[in-house]
Structures are given as structure tokens and as C-alpha cells.
Amino acid sequence: MTRIVVVGSINMDLVTQASRFVGPGETILGERFLTVPGGKGANQAVAAARLGAEVALVGATGDDAFAQQLRQGLAAENIDLTHTVQLDDYASGTASITVAGGENQIIVVPAANARVTPAQVEQAQSLIARADAVLVQMEIPLETVEATLRVGQRLGVPVILNPAPAQKLPADWLKLARYVTPNQHELAILLGADPDEDFRTLMQHAPCPVVLTRGAEGAWYREQGEPVHQSGFQVDVVDSTGAGDTFNAALAVFLHEGVATAVRKACAAAALSVGKLGAQGGMPQHDDVEKLLARTG
Ligand code: RIB
């Protein structure tokens, strides 16, 4: 079984579905509200587990009412929480999300996620040493992102860095990642580049291998120096929240099959994930991905 370690955030998502986004100073009536587990780290852990991997999550919750729900949800997906700490007198991370027309707007309050430490990553070394891949995102302190990249490098385990939400990072950190997985906007921020520059040119100049996500248009990666496009799978979109997380999880789980296959499966998994409300609601099982691939040739 593929083993994945995820280092990242755990949030409770407070999701409002509405007919459109609200403007500054405006009040509108929404259609539906739900409280569902999220956070990029937790989402990637859940997606990887549903795709058949054995998964451990390095992270933090607070000790509030959300913490119990979040931990129970992760445990129910068979995710190892040995290295997920529960912090006294801390709130758990939250994300206030508006979903309108399949798009979303998100405000994250990191709370306990801001206390995921490099020491936790060091303590998880023996787990990381046995992993096939490590996933890390940027809703936790940057020093912990760096520690994850360095521990992965030291142990010879591939680290996939999902640079979201994006910040400019030093080139020597990026060189430690096996793949960096931004969208077009995140790639420009990550490299401190002009956002209008062609993404293929930016990919060419990045100091690390890039798998670039393009939503419904699929993804781009490079093989033997040349840009390669993997088309997206056409589906009806209910909620795109968590599609990127599903993509990253699938890339990590199927990386051992080669980057071309992994990116194709990642696009299929991400497409399936957008059919239901909530980041984790539509995340597929491995069989669902194989069926979609078989149907679409
Ligand atoms: O990537 C989607 C996630 O971003 C949401 O679940 C939300 O918690 C934010 O972290």
C-alpha cells in the first residue's frame, strides 16, 4: 500500500451557498449553510486515504468543540493522528467560505495551524522515512514548510509542495521539492514574477519541477524539458473547494506510476471531487477514478 505523510492545516469550513458573491457593505440572503471539515492538509489527507493510501497527518487542532469533530472525521477515514497535536486554550482553524456558481471565496483564520512546528516534523521522521511521498501546503508556518522540505531531502523521500495560499519562497527551498504544484496565479507569486507572464515561460524558469493546475482545463507539466498538457475532464461543478487538494493527493498517491499517469489520474480525481458541496464531500475512491478513466478512454 502507498504510504503518504501530509504536513498541513486542519480547518472547520463554514460554508454558505448563495446565488452570487456579496459586495462590500452589502447584505444578501443565502440559500444554505453547512459546517464541514476542511483545511488543505486535512483535505489532502482524506483524499489520499480515499484513493487507497495509508496516511498520517502532522498538524494541530485547538481544544474547542470543532476539534473533536475534526479529529473524529479524520480518524473515521483511517488517518493516523499520532503527530497531530491538540493545543490547550487554542481555537481550531476555520475557513469562512462562500460558494456561488461553482466558484468560491475563502477567508482562513489559522488559529492552531499557526502552531504546527518544525519539531513535530522532526518527531515524525521515522514515519516520513517509510513514506512513498510527503505533501505540504502553506496554511502552516513557513519554517515548518522548510523543515518538511529539508527532512524529505535528507531522508530521500519525495516532497510535493502545494504553494497555497501563495507567497514568494527562496529558490533554494523550491529546489528541495520533487514537484511544486501551483496554479498560474500562485506560480507568479511564488517566483516573484510578473503575473501577466506566460505560465509556460515561468514553468521553464522555475528552479524546480512544476505541475501547474488549470482548473477545468487540466494541468501542465514538463517531460524532457518540454511542456506537456493534460486535458481536464468535463463535469458539472457544484463546488470547486478542495479540487486542488484532491489533485495534489492523487499526484502523491500515483507518483510511483510516473508523472504522466499521476497527472492524468489527478485531473480525473479533481474533476470527480467538484460534484458535491464541501471540500471533502465529493472526494472520490480509487475505483471511481479508474471508472472515469475507463469511460473517457
Ligand atoms: O483548499 C480548500 C481549503 O482551503 C478549504 O477546505 C479551507 O479550509 C481552506 O483551507
Side-chain angles (χ1 to χ4, degrees), residues 9-15 36-41 43-44 93-97 104 106-108 113 139 162 164-165 240-246 278-280 283:
S9 59
I10 305 169
N11 294 334
M12 188 57 88
D13 288 355
L14 313 173
V15 185
V36 285
K40 292 186 192 304
N43 291 344
Q44 293 182 16
T94 53
S96 300
I97 303 180
N104 61 42
I106 305 181
I107 300 176
V108 171
N113 296 308
E139 286 182 342
N162 175 214
S240 60
T241 314
D245 297 326
T246 309
Q280 297 172 13
M283 284 176 177

Side-chain angles (χ1 to χ4, degrees), residues 123-143:
Q123 281 154 13
Q125 286 202 52
S126 59
L127 209 61
I128 293 174
R130 293 196 306 273
D132 295 286
V134 175
L135 281 160
V136 63
Q137 331 71 32
M138 290 175 27
E139 286 182 342
I140 55 171
L142 285 187
E143 57 180 4

Side-chain angles (χ1 to χ4, degrees), residues 148-261:
T148 305
L149 290 162
R150 294 203 184 281
V151 168
Q153 171 85 0
R154 193 170 74 221
L155 299 174
V157 178
V159 179
I160 296 176
L161 168 63
N162 175 214
Q167 289 186 46
K168 186 172 185 313
L169 290 186
D172 63 316
W173 291 22
L174 297 177
K175 284 181 192 155
L176 299 171
R178 177 65 56 87
Y179 286 103
V180 178
T181 57
N183 61 26
Q184 185 172 349
H185 167 76
E186 289 162 349
L187 179 61
I189 295 176
L190 191 66
L191 303 178
D194 178 349
D196 292 329
E197 189 152 358
D198 181 71
F199 66 84
R200 294 173 206 81
T201 312
L202 289 179
M203 280 175 72
Q204 192 85 13
H205 293 138
C208 51
V210 172
V211 175
L212 183 124
T213 56
R214 297 267 295 161
E217 289 171 34
W220 285 79
Y221 58 99
R222 285 175 66 203
E223 241 178 5
Q224 289 159 357
E226 292 304 316
V228 181
H229 180 224
Q230 167 63 54
S231 301
F233 293 78
Q234 299 316 308
V235 286
D236 292 333
V237 181
V238 174
D239 180 5
S240 60
T241 314
D245 297 326
T246 309
F247 181 96
N248 277 276
L251 184 66
V253 171
F254 301 116
L255 197 55
H256 65 277
E257 297 181 27
V259 68
T261 303

